[in-house]
């Protein structure tokens, strides 16, 4: 499928027409198709992907695939968008572009973003509140500045001094 088709398909969760309506081309199904296409165009424009909307999704580079995943998620009109390591494997510039994209989804679309991520500069750059887990146990919660200065977080992620080896 193309980028545009992928975003349209995701919207079928919100379809008003029945499966039979789609098969027979009912007025409601036609309205759904029209509305889904317009909303897909709007989302792709918002995400800066209009120029690649007719590209095959399978041919996209990694950064665009991640943005397409966000577009597909947004197509369902969520209140909360869960992202699992959205910055993994990206270089600094790609990460910052994706951070800006995710921030704009939060700020301009009003969607709450929950993410699991190990790229701490990206997390600090995008988050209002952070919960830190260490081996599945919550060790801290707070604002980015509170987390940066939390002794348990520092110890868990940077390690503690070891007097025996002098480090």
């Amino acid at each position: 499928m193309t980028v545009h088709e992928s975003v349209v398909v995701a919207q079928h969760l919100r379809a008003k027409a029945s499966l039979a309506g789609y098969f027979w081309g009912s007025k409601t199904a036609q309205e759904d198709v029209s509305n889904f296409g317009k909303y897909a165009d709007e989302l792709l424009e918002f995400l800066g992907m209009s120029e690649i909307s007719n590209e095959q999704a399978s041919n996209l580079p990694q950064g665009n695939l991640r943005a397409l995943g966000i577009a597909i998620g947004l197509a369902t009109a969520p209140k909360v968008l869960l992202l699992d390591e959205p910055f993994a494997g990206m270089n600094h510039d790609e990460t910052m572009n994706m951070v800006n994209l995710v921030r704009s989804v939060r700020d301009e679309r009003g969607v709450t973003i929950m993410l699991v991520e190990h790229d701490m500069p990206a997390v600090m750059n995008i988050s209002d509140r952070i919960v830190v887990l260490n081996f599945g146990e919550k060790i801290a919660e707070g604002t980015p500045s509170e987390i940066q200065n939390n002794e348990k977080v520092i110890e868990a992620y940077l390690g503690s001094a070891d007097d025996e080896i002098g480090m």
Side-chain angles (χ1 to χ4, degrees), residues 12 14 31 40 54 60 69 71 82 97 103 106 120 122-123 130-131 133 149 154 162:
H12 281 85
R14 299 183 297 113
E31 289 172 355
N54 292 320
L60 295 179
L82 305 174
N97 287 338
R103 191 182 298 123
R106 179 194 67 190
M120 287 300 103
V123 170
I130 299 171
V131 174
L133 301 177
N149 298 310
I154 293 168
D162 189 332

Side-chain angles (χ1 to χ4, degrees), residues 46-47 63 66-67 69-71 74 81-87 90 94-117 122-123 125-127:
F46 170 72
L47 296 171
R66 301 273 175 89
I70 290 173
L74 290 175
L81 188 61
L82 305 174
L83 303 175
D84 186 14
E85 299 200 22
F87 315 122
M90 293 184 169
E94 292 169 330
T95 298
M96 293 319 301
N97 287 338
M98 188 60 76
V99 164
N100 291 332
L101 180 98
V102 171
R103 191 182 298 123
S104 69
V105 167
R106 179 194 67 190
D107 295 344
E108 296 175 35
R109 294 283 171 160
V111 176
T112 298
I113 305 293
M114 290 184 67
L115 58 93
V116 174
E117 183 57 62
V123 170
N125 201 325
I126 200 169
S127 302

Side-chain angles (χ1 to χ4, degrees), residues 50-68:
S50 294
E51 292 181 7
I52 62 168
S53 67
N54 292 320
E55 296 289 327
Q56 292 295 309
S58 60
N59 295 337
L60 295 179
Q62 190 64 27
N64 287 343
L65 279 174
R66 301 273 175 89
L68 177 57

Side-chain angles (χ1 to χ4, degrees), residues 6-22:
S6 298
V7 177
V8 167
V9 166
Q11 294 178 71
H12 281 85
L13 292 172
R14 299 183 297 113
K16 295 178 182 169
S18 66
L19 184 59
Y22 279 98

